[in-house]
C-alpha cells in the first residue's frame, strides 16, 4: 500500500444516492474520462482517511445486477471482478443502499458481497426512510450480511467519518477479514434472501407521508400529465433563448473588444490577422455557445435530480415507441432544438445501445438555434409577409414548416435506422421511477461544471481548430493586388467552390452558395456572414448588413433556389462540432462519418426535389 | 385470489400477485432485467398509473417500494391473480 493509494469503488443500484455520496466524499475535484473502448464514464476523485492518508475513489455506474444487461452494468461487473481494462482491481468496495428500498437494493448487494472482496455497506438516505415511516436496525443488517454497515445521509454529510473509519478498518485487516455469510445463489434465491434480510432489518413500518405518490397522481395523470410536461418544456425553451441573450451579447462584445485591442496594439500583418480573425474569432465562436448549453443543462440536471425526468420519459414513451425509440430519447431530442451538442451529450442516460445510437444519429435533424439566422434571412428575402389566416402569416408558416420537416424527417430516419443499421433487440423500456427529491444545488452545480468543461475541452478544441483552418482556406493564397479578383474568389476556399459548383448546380445552387457552404461547416449561421462577404457587403452593423444582403439575394437568386437552400439546411450536417461530439460519444469515426454521409445525401435530395418541384410549379 | 388476468389488463390501484411469466415471450436479457428490477413470479404488484391518454402502454407498477415502468409487450406476458383488499388492523 506504499506504492499507490488504495482504490475504493463505489457501487450500488441506480437512485441509491451513490453520486451524492461520491460528491460528499470527494468534493468538486473529480476526474471524468471514458473507460477504454466503451462510452461509459469513469468518474474518479480523491479523499483522505482521518489520518490524512489518501485514497482514490471511483464511482461505478449504477447497476441492478452483476449479470449485465447494459454497457454500464458490464463495466461495473468488470471493475468489481478486476477484469476491466485500464482499471486495477479495487482494494475495497462501498455498496450504497437506499435505506427506504432495502428489499430491492439488497439483491445487488448480496451478489457483490458473495464475491468475497472487502466490502463496507453505506445504508444511505436514512432520513428519507424515516420520513417514509421506516425504522431500521443497521446492526441487524451488518449481522445478516457479515460486513460492516454504516448509516449515512450523503446530502447532509452525515455518517461520512464513520464510513471512512469502517473502510480503513476493513483495508487494514484485509487478509483476516471475516468471511461474509452470504452464499452464491442466483436470481430467485437472491431475491428471497434479500426479502428475508429486509424483513429482519425493518423494525417497524408505519404509513409515512406518501407525498411522492400523491405528486404522481398529478404529474402522471393521463391528461394533466402531458399538459404539465409541455408547460415545463415551454418554460425551459423560453429560458434557453431569453436568458442567454444578455450573456451572448456580453461574450460578443468582449471578443470584439479583445480583437479591437489587439488591432490597435499590433503591427498589421499575417500574425495580427491570424490572432484576430483566426484565434479570437475561433475562441469566440466556441464560448458563444456556452450560455445556451449551460441553461439547457441546468434544466436537464434539475429535472434529472428531482426525479421528474423519468416521468417525462414515461409520458412520451408510447409516442417514441412508434418510431422504434423509447421515452428515454425524448429529452435528448428535445434539447437538440436548442443545440445538437448538449442533446447528443444527454443521450448517455439511454441504457439501450441501439436506442442511444439512433437518437444520436437523428439529433441533428431537430431544428437547432444556429439554423434560425439562416432561415430568417432567406424567408425575409423571398417569402412575402402575406397573411394566410387569422393571425397566421406566410413567413411564420414557412418557418413552422421547416421545423415540422425536420421532425418528420427524424422520425422516418429513426424508423429506417432501427430496422437496418441499428437493428437489434430493444430493451423494452423497463425503468425505475425514483421518488421525487428536492435537487441539491451543490450536486447540480458540480454536474453543470462537468458538462461545461467537457464541452469546452472536446467540442471547443475542434471548433477552434476548424475555425482557424477555414480562416486559412479563405485567406490564402493572397490575391495579387492588380488582378481585380476578390480575396475570397482567389483563396483555396474559392477554388474548392469552383469544384463543388457543378455538383450543386443540379439542385439549383449557384457558385455563391457553394462558396458560402464551405465556411458554414464551422456553424450554420456562418453562412449568413459568408454570403455577406461573397457579395462584398461592407455594412456598419448587422441590421444594415441584413438589409443590403436581402436586396442582393433578391436580385441574384430565384425563388426555387432560395427554397432549395432552405431545404438543404433542414438536413445538411453543417456543424463540425456536432460531428466531433458524435465521434466522442460513439467512440470512433464510423458513426460520425455515417451521419455526415446520410445527412448530406438527404440534404441533396431534399434540396433537389424542392428546386425542381418549385421550377415545375412555375414559382 | 381467484380471478386471473395479465398485467396490462389489471385495473388501477388493484393489488395482485404475479403467478406466471411467459419467459419465452421475453428476450433473455429483458428477462434478466425484469428480475433485476424485482419483477418475478410470486411478487406482489400494484398498478399505479397508465400512460398518456389512459393507454395501457406503458404502465407504472409498484413493486416493493419501487415504481417501475413496463411496456405493454412485457405486461402481456405477465399473468397475475387478484389479491382481495384487506383492511389493515
Amino acid at each position: 500500500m506504499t506504492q499507490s493509494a488504495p482504490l475504493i469503488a463505489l457501487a450500488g443500484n441506480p437512485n441509491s444516492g451513490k453520486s451524492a455520496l461520491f460528491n460528499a466524499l470527494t468534493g468538486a475535484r473529480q476526474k471524468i474520462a471514458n473507460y477504454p473502448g466503451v462510452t461509459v464514464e469513469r468518474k474518479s476523485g480523491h479523499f483522505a482517511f482521518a489520518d490524512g492518508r489518501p485514497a482514490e475513489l471511483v464511482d461505478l455506474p449504477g447497476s441492478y445486477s452483476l449479470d449485465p444487461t447494459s454497457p454500464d452494468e458490464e463495466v461495473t461487473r468488470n471493475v468489481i471482478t478486476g477484469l476491466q481494462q485500464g482499471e486495477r482491481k479495487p482494494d475495497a468496495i462501498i455498496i450504497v443502499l437506499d435505506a427506504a428500498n432495502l428489499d430491492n437494493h439488497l439483491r445487488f448487494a448480496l451478489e457483490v458481497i458473495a464475491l468475497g472482496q472487502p466490502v463496507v455497506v453505506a445504508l444511505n438516505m436514512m432520513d428519507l426512510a424515516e420520513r417514509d415511516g421506516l425504522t431500521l436496525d443497521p446492526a441487524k443488517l451488518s449481522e445478516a450480511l457479515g460486513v460492516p454497515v454504516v448509516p449515512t445521509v450523503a446530502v447532509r454529510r452525515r455518517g461520512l467519518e464513520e464510513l471512512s473509519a469502517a473502510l480503513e478498518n476493513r483495508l487494514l485487516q484485509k487478509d483476516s477479514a471475516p468471511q461474509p455469510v452470504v452464499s452464491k445463489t442466483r436470481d430467485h434465491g437472491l431475491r428471497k434472501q434479500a426479502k428475508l434480510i429486509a424483513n429482519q432489518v425493518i423494525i417497524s413500518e408505519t404509513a409515512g407521508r406518501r407525498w411522492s405518490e400523491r405528486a404522481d397522481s398529478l404529474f402522471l395523470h393521463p391528461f394533466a400529465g402531458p399538459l404539465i410536461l409541455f408547460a415545463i418544456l415551454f418554460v425551459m425553451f423560453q429560458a434557453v433563448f431569453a436568458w442567454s441573450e444578455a450573456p451572448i451579447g456580453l461574450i460578443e462584445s468582449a471578443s470584439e473588444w479583445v480583437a479591437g485591442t489587439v488591432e490597435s496594439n499590433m503591427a498589421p500583418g499575417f500574425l495580427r490577422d491570424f490572432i484576430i480573425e483566426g484565434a479570437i474569432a475561433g475562441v469566440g465562436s466556441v464560448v458563444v455557445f456556452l450560455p445556451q448549453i449551460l441553461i439547457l443543462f441546468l434544466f436537464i440536471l434539475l429535472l434529472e435530480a428531482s426525479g421528474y425526468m423519468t416521468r417525462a420519459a414515461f409520458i412520451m414513451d408510447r409516442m417514441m415507441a412508434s418510431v422504434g425509440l423509447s421515452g428515454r430519447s425524448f429529452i435528448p431530442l428535445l434539447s437538440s432544438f436548442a443545440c445538437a451538442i448538449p442533446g447528443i451529450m444527454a443521450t448517455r442516460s439511454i441504457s439501450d445501445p441501439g436506442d442511444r445510437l439512433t437518437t444520436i444519429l437523428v439529433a441533428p435533424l431537430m431544428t437547432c438555434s444556429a439554423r434560425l439566422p439562416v432561415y430568417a434571412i432567406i424567408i425575409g428575402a423571398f417569402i412575402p409577409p402575406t397573411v394566410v389566416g387569422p393571425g397566421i402569416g406566410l413567413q411564420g408558416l414557412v418557418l413552422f414548416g421547416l421545423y415540422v420537416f425536420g421532425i418528420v424527417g427524424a422520425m422516418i430516419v429513426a424508423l429506417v435506422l432501427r430496422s437496418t443499421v441499428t437493428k437489434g433487440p430493444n430493451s423494452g423500456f423497463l425503468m425505475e421511477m425514483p421518488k421525487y427529491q428536492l435537487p441539491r444545488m451543490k450536486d447540480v452545480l458540480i454536474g453543470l461544471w462537468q458538462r461545461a468543461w467537457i464541452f469546452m475541452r472536446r467540442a471547443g478544441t475542434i471548433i477552434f481548430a476548424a475555425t482557424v483552418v477555414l480562416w486559412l482556406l479563405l485567406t490564402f493564397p493572397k490575391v495579387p493586388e492588380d488582378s481585380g479578383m476578390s480575396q475570397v474568389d482567389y483563396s483555396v476556399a474559392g477554388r474548392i467552390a469552383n469544384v463543388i459548383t457543378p455538383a450543386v448546380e443540379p439542385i439549383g445552387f449557384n457558385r455563391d452558395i457553394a462558396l458560402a457552404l464551405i465556411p458554414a461547416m464551422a456553424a450554420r449561421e456562418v453562412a449568413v456572414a459568408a454570403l455577406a462577404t461573397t457579395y462584398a457587403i461592407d455594412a456598419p452593423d448587422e441590421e444594415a448588413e441584413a438589409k443590403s444582403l436581402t436586396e442582393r439575394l433578391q436580385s441574384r437568386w430565384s425563388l426555387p433556389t432560395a427554397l432549395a437552400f432552405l431545404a438543404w439546411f433542414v438536413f445538411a450536417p453543417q456543424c463540425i462540432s456536432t460531428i466531433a461530439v458524435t465521434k466522442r460519444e460513439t467512440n470512433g469515426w464510423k458513426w460520425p462519418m455515417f451521419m455526415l454521409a446520410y445527412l448530406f445525401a438527404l440534404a441533396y435530395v431534399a434540396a433537389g426535389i424542392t428546386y425542381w418541384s418549385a421550377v415545375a410549379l412555375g414559382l | 385470489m381467484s380471478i386471473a388476468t395479465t398485467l396490462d389488463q389489471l385495473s388501477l390501484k388493484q393489488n395482485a400477485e404475479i403467478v406466471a411469466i411467459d419467459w419465452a415471450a421475453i428476450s433473455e436479457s429483458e428477462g434478466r432485467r425484469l428480475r433485476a428490477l424485482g419483477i418475478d413470479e410470486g411478487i406482489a404488484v400494484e398498478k399505479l398509473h397508465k400512460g398518456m391518454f389512459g393507454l395501457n402502454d406503458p404502465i407504472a407498477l409498484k413493486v416493493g417500494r419501487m415504481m417501475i415502468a413496463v411496456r405493454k409487450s412485457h405486461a402481456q406476458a405477465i399473468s397475475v391473480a387478484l389479491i382481495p383488499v384487506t383492511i389493515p388492523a
Side-chain angles (χ1 to χ4, degrees):
Chain A
M1 221 170 277
T2 42
Q3 68 275 44
S4 63
L7 179 69
I8 318 284
L10 214 60
N13 282 46
N15 311 310
S16 58
K18 195 166 53 64
S19 294
L21 187 62
F22 182 74
N23 285 345
L25 286 169
T26 61
R29 287 178 62 100
Q30 302 173 1
K31 243 173 75 183
I32 301 184
N34 270 7
Y35 282 102
V38 285
T39 46
V40 177
E41 232 164 49
R42 181 189 188 274
K43 242 167 136 186
S44 67
H46 291 274
F47 94 111
F49 290 112
D51 59 3
R53 274 185 318 122
E56 191 187 355
L57 205 63
V58 54
D59 187 15
L60 297 179
S63 298
Y64 290 102
S65 167
L66 281 182
D67 215 356
T69 54
S70 71
D72 277 15
E73 290 188 342
E74 203 169 317
V75 164
T76 299
R77 196 259 323 259
N78 288 350
V79 171
I80 290 178
T81 52
L83 296 172
Q84 179 61 45
Q85 198 196 338
E87 186 81 276
R88 56 201 165 106
K89 193 174 179 181
D91 297 281
I93 299 163
I94 300 176
I95 300 176
V96 190
L97 295 179
D98 174 3
N101 209 348
L102 269 189
D103 21 355
N104 281 314
H105 283 193
L106 271 174
R107 192 184 176 281
F108 176 68
L110 286 169
E111 269 189 295
V112 175
I113 292 170
L115 296 173
Q117 275 157 273
V119 164
V120 173
V121 167
L123 192 55
N124 198 26
M125 310 208 273
M126 276 297 269
D127 55 338
L128 295 182
E130 278 157 28
R131 207 182 56 190
D132 273 3
L134 286 175
T135 314
L136 303 176
D137 184 351
K140 262 258 170 57
L141 184 61
S142 174
E143 193 185 307
L145 294 175
V147 298
V149 172
V150 182
T152 56
V153 182
V155 293
R156 290 183 213 293
R157 309 189 59 84
R158 251 160 55 191
L160 297 189
E161 276 167 39
E162 292 85 344
L163 186 65
S164 142
L167 204 59
E168 199 173 5
N169 251 335
R170 206 80 180 103
L171 283 171
L172 287 176
Q173 28 158 292
K174 201 171 178 178
D175 304 318
S176 59
Q179 267 304 304
V181 293
V182 176
S183 60
K184 281 192 181 181
T185 44
R186 297 225 81 85
D187 270 3
H188 301 266
L190 270 176
R191 202 198 66 234
K192 278 189 186 130
Q193 205 180 346
K195 181 84 189 145
L196 219 67
I197 295 176
N199 285 348
Q200 287 172 28
V201 174
I202 298 170
I203 303 169
S204 73
E205 188 177 1
T206 55
R209 277 185 282 168
R210 299 277 189 88
W211 65 277
S212 191
E213 276 181 30
R214 236 177 282 145
D216 268 331
S217 58
L218 179 65
F219 288 129
L220 290 184
H221 188 276
F223 297 98
L227 283 179
I228 294 170
L229 173 60
F230 287 110
I232 291 174
L233 298 178
F234 182 78
V235 171
M236 175 168 141
F237 271 84
Q238 202 59 33
V240 165
F241 290 104
W243 299 356
S244 64
E245 233 167 74
I248 287 176
L250 268 178
I251 290 165
E252 277 170 349
S253 37
S255 70
E256 267 164 38
W257 179 82
V258 174
T261 313
V262 172
E263 195 172 5
S264 54
N265 284 304
M266 266 181 86
F270 167 71
L271 192 63
R272 191 180 84 170
D273 288 351
F274 173 79
I275 291 176
I276 294 173
E277 289 163 35
I280 297 175
V283 173
S285 68
V286 175
V287 181
V288 92
F289 279 114
L290 255 189
Q292 286 196 347
I293 288 190
L294 285 180
I295 296 167
L296 196 63
F297 266 122
L298 177 67
F299 274 90
I300 291 181
L301 286 166
L302 285 174
L303 292 180
E304 246 166 25
S306 64
Y308 184 76
M309 191 68 103
T310 55
R311 273 73 177 182
F314 180 82
I315 292 170
M316 294 309 297
D317 182 61
R318 186 67 194 79
M319 238 181 239
M320 304 300 290
S322 61
V323 294
L325 295 172
S326 86
R328 293 266 197 198
S329 305
F330 178 66
I331 298 286
L333 288 180
L334 194 83
S335 309
S336 304
F337 279 108
C339 175
I341 296 165
I344 289 171
M345 279 162 73
T347 60
R348 291 202 167 199
S349 62
I350 306 171
S351 54
D352 182 68
D355 268 5
R356 175 159 184 256
L357 183 57
T358 314
T359 310
I360 290 175
L361 290 175
V362 302
L365 288 173
M366 303 292 129
T367 301
C368 67
S369 54
R371 284 171 172 99
L372 281 174
V374 181
Y375 288 172
I377 198 108
I378 304 295
I379 290 176
F382 290 94
I383 310 294
T386 12
V387 177
V388 291
I392 305 168
L394 188 60
Q395 292 187 334
L397 204 62
V398 170
L399 184 63
F400 181 73
L402 291 169
Y403 272 84
V404 173
F405 207 13
I407 296 169
V408 172
M411 285 166 63
I412 295 170
V413 170
L415 260 180
V416 172
L417 290 178
R418 216 64 182 88
S419 54
T420 51
V421 288
T422 59
K423 196 176 178 168
N426 196 297
S427 75
F429 192 63
L430 271 168
M431 179 186 72
E432 179 186 349
M433 293 191 271
K435 287 199 178 73
Y436 290 106
Q437 242 179 322
L438 207 61
R440 212 168 140 268
M441 230 39 226
K442 192 186 161 200
D443 291 336
V444 170
L445 288 178
I446 288 176
L448 202 57
W449 159 248
Q450 287 169 346
R451 312 274 170 131
W453 179 240
I454 290 173
F455 168 74
M456 293 296 277
R457 218 179 44 182
R458 303 284 172 162
T461 45
I462 293 200
I463 298 173
F464 175 66
T467 316
V468 170
V469 167
L470 286 169
W471 176 77
L472 289 170
L473 290 180
L474 286 161
T475 314
F476 291 100
K478 284 281 177 208
V479 64
E481 264 171 43
D482 51 355
S483 70
M485 281 175 82
S486 80
Q487 172 58 41
V488 181
D489 281 335
Y490 196 78
S491 71
V492 177
R495 292 163 202 213
I496 296 175
N498 289 339
V499 178
I500 301 175
T501 309
V504 293
E505 267 170 353
I507 59 169
F509 287 8
N510 52 34
R511 185 178 170 279
D512 305 334
I513 297 180
L515 186 55
L517 291 182
I518 298 169
M521 277 308 293
R524 293 173 177 92
E525 73 267 30
V526 176
V528 176
L531 283 171
T533 315
T534 315
Y535 291 133
I537 290 162
D538 197 17
D541 56 62
E542 273 179 34
E543 217 168 293
E545 182 186 277
K547 191 158 175 274
S548 46
L549 182 56
T550 301
E551 283 159 14
R552 305 277 165 110
L553 288 175
Q554 282 166 341
S555 65
R556 285 170 204 235
W557 291 17
S558 66
L559 179 57
T561 293
L563 293 176
F565 189 69
L566 287 176
W568 171 272
F569 268 92
V570 171
F571 296 101
Q574 299 248 277
C575 178
I576 284 181
S577 17
T578 302
I579 304 297
V581 171
T582 305
K583 190 224 154 217
R584 176 181 148 79
E585 293 297 317
T586 58
N587 237 327
W589 281 110
K590 182 182 164 193
W591 293 111
M593 286 300 128
F594 175 81
M595 181 192 261
L596 211 56
Y598 104 81
L599 286 173
F600 268 133
L602 270 184
Y604 193 85
V605 171
I609 291 174
T610 309
Y611 179 72
W612 289 108
S613 310
V615 168
L617 288 169
L619 292 173
Chain B
M1 40 190 290
S2 52
I3 313 155
T5 178
T6 50
L7 207 43
D8 58 311
Q9 299 296 326
L10 196 66
S11 35
L12 285 184
K13 311 286 168 196
Q14 173 70 58
N15 287 296
E17 188 186 308
I18 298 176
V19 287
I21 298 177
D22 182 7
W23 296 112
I26 300 168
S27 83
E28 199 244 323
S29 73
E30 289 169 31
R32 261 186 291 155
R33 198 160 179 80
L34 271 178
R35 291 193 290 274
L37 283 163
I39 298 176
D40 205 341
E41 280 134 1
I43 287 290
V45 292
E46 182 189 343
K47 187 153 147 190
L48 289 180
H49 302 282
K50 293 182 177 186
M52 206 202 289
F53 307 136
L55 294 173
N56 272 316
D57 192 16
I59 53 171
L61 292 178
K62 189 176 176 177
V63 180
R65 284 182 187 78
M66 286 196 326
M67 183 155 76
I68 314 266
V70 179
R71 273 194 185 159
K72 190 174 187 171
S73 55
H74 286 154
Q76 280 171 332
I78 301 174
S79 303
V80 293
L82 305 188
I83 301 172
V85 184
T86 50
I87 292 116

